[in-house]
Amino acid sequence: MLESINPSGTLAWKKLREHFAQMEFVQMQDLFANDSERANKMHIEWNDFLLDYSKNKVTEETIDLLLELADELKLKDAIKAMYQGQIINATEQRAVLHTALRNLSADESVVVVGEDVLPEIRDTRIRIKDFTSRVLNGTYTSYSGKKFTDVINIGIGGSDLGPKMVVHALANYRNELGMHYISNVDDDYLQSVLNKLNPETTLVLIVSKTFTTQETIENAKKVKQWLVRSLGDVDLSSHYVGVSVAIEEAMGFGLKRENIYPMWDFVGGRFSLWSAVGLSIALAVGYDNFEKLLDGAYAMDRHFLEEENKNNIPVVLALLSVWYNNFYGYETEAVVPYSQLLGKLPAHLQQMIMESNGKNKDRSGSPVNYQTGTLIWGEVGVSAQHAFFQLFHQGTKVIPIDFIGFVNPHFKESSNHDILMSNFFGQSEALLKGKDGEQYESDGGPFLSNFREFCGNKPSNTILIQKLCPRSLGELIALYEHKTFVQGVIWNIFSFDQFGVEYGKILAKNIQNEIKTKNICEHDSSTEFLLRYFVKNRIVE
Ligand SMILES: O=P(O)(O)OC[C@H]1O[C@](O)(CO)[C@@H](O)[C@@H]1O
């Protein structure tokens, strides 16, 4: 159990507050002008990653104070406690061991309540490998002996976002298997997917840690009906595969025991793509690439665990985020990957970060007296430049940005990569430097130059990676997982439960019954008004 320490009561916090009073109006342009070595001092090179954090509103003193804060809040101990399998998810009495999922070494052990969890993780990995190769080589077949051509992954939240994001990101590593993701309980969308598929050669993965998530179960029932209606009274058991902690519930749904892959309580849904939840990844890009993804994440794990805080990429990124969130009062952060293939990364990070750190009680159960989880959002560059960058450059809000880019394209002959990356570098430079308003002859006076002025001084991190490949993607995702963890430690919250989401699920269940029976109970006047309108106006066939 992690000790509860109020960060705002620490000495380092007090010093940071005093330091902030001196920093608040400092211009980054001046910091650069006064120190030509700034970028040299404020970057971390690790493996195929380069993090340049010099374009932030910090001095070396700021970084030292933030590191002091991390020490005072015993960050290193917390990191060790997580890796060792201590029960750090105290509200659910669970260990937090997504890191164990990517530990591929044969001779290590991770013990949780007296039991080594690695053997079952290893066995599961072997099963994933075997299953993947049999589906891909056509020895694991449909009921009629045909090779599967398509896979539907039914799951929501962590049982969807992570795998979907990775499969999208690794498009250049894909095989011919069609991969389809159904998450929302939206029949119109479901039908549009099923319309394109041949039921005879469609494999269905039902992925749900709890196997009680209504959206997933309802979608699974619909897909099952579609298969049975299309194919008749035949043995369709080879078409269904489940991934869950709740083996009994999955079997109750009709899945064969040998077609169910385990999940574990010590892996949160939003951190689960490394487990059998990532079966669709292994199927889409082959097991070897799945293992490279795990390898990359493991490399980042070692960096996070072993590197001193000052040169630790997730730690430094988390501390910078705390600096903006808790001292400057910036409420949101953007992630802008300059790769179309990372288009689904912001959505995955939203769940990872906001479900983890959107908490208002500290580890002693008291309300926090400081800000916690930042709001995270983003879109791919260059497209985002043509959408919301105007507000970055000239809006009244300051939004720290993570620019993520790749030195090399996947295809060597990709001449547009330099155009893409020129934008990548140009944007963070413009955001930093700003520009005086230019005056043009045609403007007819100085008036318009005001509108052409950019004040600059907008912070960003640059994460430059050699190439987008399974390994570096694993590193990148693990980086953000660890950043999220560090923030949770600093804010003295429990990052691994999600009671907030669960309350909404209960209300939805009750309302569903009211709609069905047309018996609208007492709600607040707005909800009641809306429900009555809905029930009155919907057309039931
Ligand atoms: O895998 P399950 O149990 O169906 O849950 C899906 C998602 O629902 C949540 O519990 C939140 O609603 C997520 O944390 C989780 O990833």
Side-chain angles (χ1 to χ4, degrees):
M1 168 99 172
L2 302 181
E3 200 182 328
S4 176
I5 312 173
N6 185 333
S8 69
T10 59
L11 182 61
W13 192 278
K14 189 171 165 279
K15 288 193 210 167
L16 277 162
R17 217 182 278 140
E18 287 161 12
H19 176 66
F20 174 68
Q22 297 156 15
M23 286 295 293
E24 188 174 2
F25 300 108
V26 166
Q27 298 289 302
M28 280 193 289
Q29 297 94 319
D30 295 333
L31 296 174
F32 273 91
N34 295 335
D35 184 359
S36 59
E37 286 300 298
R38 187 172 164 84
N40 253 337
K41 292 175 191 161
M42 294 188 174
H43 76 265
I44 302 174
E45 238 181 304
W46 169 81
N47 275 7
D48 45 358
F49 272 55
L50 170 65
L51 165 68
D52 176 354
Y53 62 93
S54 61
K55 292 189 180 89
N56 279 296
K57 298 183 175 186
V58 292
T59 59
E60 287 172 272
E61 187 185 351
T62 322
I63 298 295
D64 288 343
L65 290 175
L66 288 166
L67 291 167
E68 244 179 84
L69 179 68
D71 286 344
E72 220 175 318
L73 294 170
K74 305 187 178 161
L75 174 64
K76 278 286 180 205
D77 291 347
I79 297 173
K80 277 191 208 124
M82 173 170 74
Y83 279 83
Q84 285 164 358
Q86 291 184 31
I87 308 296
I88 61 167
N89 176 2
T91 48
E92 297 181 307
Q93 278 300 297
R94 291 174 187 167
V96 175
L97 279 175
H98 44 281
T99 51
L101 299 172
R102 47 244 192 172
N103 186 337
L104 301 178
S105 57
D107 51 359
E108 281 186 40
S109 59
V110 178
V111 177
V112 180
V113 205
E115 201 182 320
D116 182 6
V117 299
L118 286 188
E120 202 187 347
I121 291 174
R122 284 189 206 109
D123 287 352
T124 306
R125 229 182 276 132
I126 292 167
R127 285 183 62 200
I128 296 172
K129 182 177 182 174
D130 177 60
F131 179 71
T132 304
S133 68
R134 285 195 298 135
V135 171
L136 294 178
N137 69 22
T139 52
Y140 182 92
T141 62
S142 75
Y143 83 97
S144 58
K146 289 205 170 140
K147 192 173 172 185
F148 284 107
T149 57
D150 292 272
V151 177
I152 305 179
N153 186 95
I154 304 174
I156 197 163
S159 299
D160 165 75
L161 289 166
K164 186 165 64 186
M165 179 269 292
V166 171
V167 167
H168 189 78
L170 298 181
N172 288 318
Y173 295 81
R174 290 283 305 274
N175 51 41
E176 69 289 350
L177 206 53
M179 200 57 68
H180 314 271
Y181 289 87
I182 305 283
S183 55
N184 207 351
V185 59
D186 177 344
D187 283 346
D188 291 350
Y189 181 71
L190 175 69
Q191 207 48 54
S192 75
V193 173
L194 298 183
N195 285 345
K196 287 183 288 197
L197 299 179
N198 176 3
E200 194 184 348
T201 55
T202 299
L203 177 67
V204 183
L205 310 182
I206 306 168
V207 185
S208 175
K209 181 176 168 185
T210 54
F211 226 85
T212 56
T213 304
Q214 192 189 26
E215 298 85 339
T216 300
I217 302 304
E218 290 306 318
N219 281 328
K221 282 185 198 160
K222 280 270 161 72
V223 173
K224 201 172 174 183
Q225 279 166 14
W226 170 72
L227 283 177
V228 172
R229 220 181 294 125
S230 318
L231 303 172
D233 188 17
V234 289
D235 177 9
L236 290 172
S237 54
S238 72
H239 286 246
Y240 305 113
V241 172
V243 182
S244 188
V245 169
I247 307 284
E248 295 298 320
E249 280 80 351
M251 286 172 71
F253 187 82
L255 299 184
K256 274 173 124 176
R257 179 70 187 83
E258 65 264 32
N259 279 6
I260 303 171
Y261 290 76
M263 263 275 278
W264 299 278
D265 269 346
F266 52 77
V267 178
R270 51 197 176 273
F271 302 94
S272 65
L273 68 90
W274 322 98
S275 70
V277 169
L279 200 54
S280 62
I281 303 173
L283 286 166
V285 297
Y287 181 80
D288 288 352
N289 283 320
F290 180 61
E291 201 166 285
K292 283 181 191 153
L293 182 86
L294 300 185
D295 254 346
Y298 183 68
M300 182 55 79
D301 290 343
R302 302 314 301 177
H303 169 75
F304 181 52
L305 182 64
E306 289 159 8
E307 188 59 66
E308 59 168 346
N309 287 342
K310 197 176 170 28
N311 294 317
N312 196 310
I313 298 178
V315 173
V316 168
L317 285 178
L319 293 175
L320 288 167
S321 171
V322 167
W323 174 235
Y324 290 131
N325 187 50
N326 297 95
F327 296 89
Y328 279 91
Y330 302 156
E331 296 206 323
T332 88
E333 280 172 21
V335 174
V336 185
Y338 276 65
S339 160
Q340 194 65 32
L341 296 174
L342 287 183
K344 297 189 188 301
L345 181 68
H348 176 62
L349 296 183
Q350 280 177 332
Q351 189 201 11
M352 181 202 292
I353 296 171
M354 300 207 283
E355 194 164 274
S356 298
N357 287 339
K359 311 283 165 67
N360 59 16
K361 301 289 187 307
D362 69 17
R363 290 201 287 264
S364 71
S366 305
V368 293
N369 59 352
Y370 44 85
Q371 288 285 316
T372 62
T374 41
L375 203 153
I376 184 109
W377 57 291
E379 176 55 273
V380 296
V382 170
S383 306
Q385 290 172 208
H386 296 273
F388 50 74
F389 267 49
Q390 166 64 33
L391 187 143
F392 288 170
H393 287 288
Q394 289 189 308
T396 52
K397 295 177 175 54
V398 179
I399 295 147
I401 307 161
D402 282 356
F403 284 96
I404 302 172
F406 297 90
V407 178
N408 295 299
H410 185 81
F411 298 106
K412 284 198 192 71
E413 59 278 14
S414 167
S415 56
N416 279 352
H417 190 67
D418 288 350
I419 302 178
L420 183 72
M421 292 307 286
S422 305
N423 278 279
F424 172 85
F425 294 117
Q427 287 299 319
S428 61
E429 183 175 18
L431 287 161
L432 162 72
K433 288 196 346 203
K435 184 167 87 59
D436 289 339
E438 280 166 351
Q439 208 176 315
Y440 296 93
E441 288 283 311
S442 56
D443 289 351
F447 175 63
L448 270 185
S449 69
N450 289 340
F451 295 96
R452 292 206 167 100
E453 186 193 20
F454 295 72
C455 51
N457 197 33
K458 306 283 166 57
S460 67
N461 294 304
T462 300
I463 301 170
L464 197 50
I465 306 168
Q466 281 301 319
K467 194 177 149 182
L468 177 58
C469 61
R471 190 182 161 86
S472 64
L473 183 62
E475 291 169 335
L476 182 67
I477 301 166
L479 186 172
Y480 278 101
E481 290 180 350
H482 296 322
K483 175 186 170 187
T484 306
F485 175 78
V486 175
Q487 289 174 306
V489 173
I490 303 288
W491 290 324
N492 193 32
I493 55 177
F494 288 118
S495 296
F496 297 98
D497 57 31
Q498 59 282 317
F499 296 118
V501 204
E502 280 151 27
Y503 174 53
K505 290 186 197 173
I506 296 166
L507 291 194
K509 268 226 161 104
N510 296 342
I511 288 176
Q512 193 190 338
N513 194 40
E514 292 174 38
I515 291 175
K516 195 169 158 197
T517 58
K518 294 190 179 165
N519 181 16
I520 306 302
C521 301
E522 209 181 306
H523 295 264
D524 62 87
S525 63
S526 162
T527 310
E528 202 171 315
F529 171 74
L530 292 168
L531 281 171
R532 290 191 191 286
Y533 181 89
F534 179 76
V535 167
K536 189 171 149 212
N537 285 284
R538 79 193 182 121
I539 301 163
V540 185
E541 299 280 310

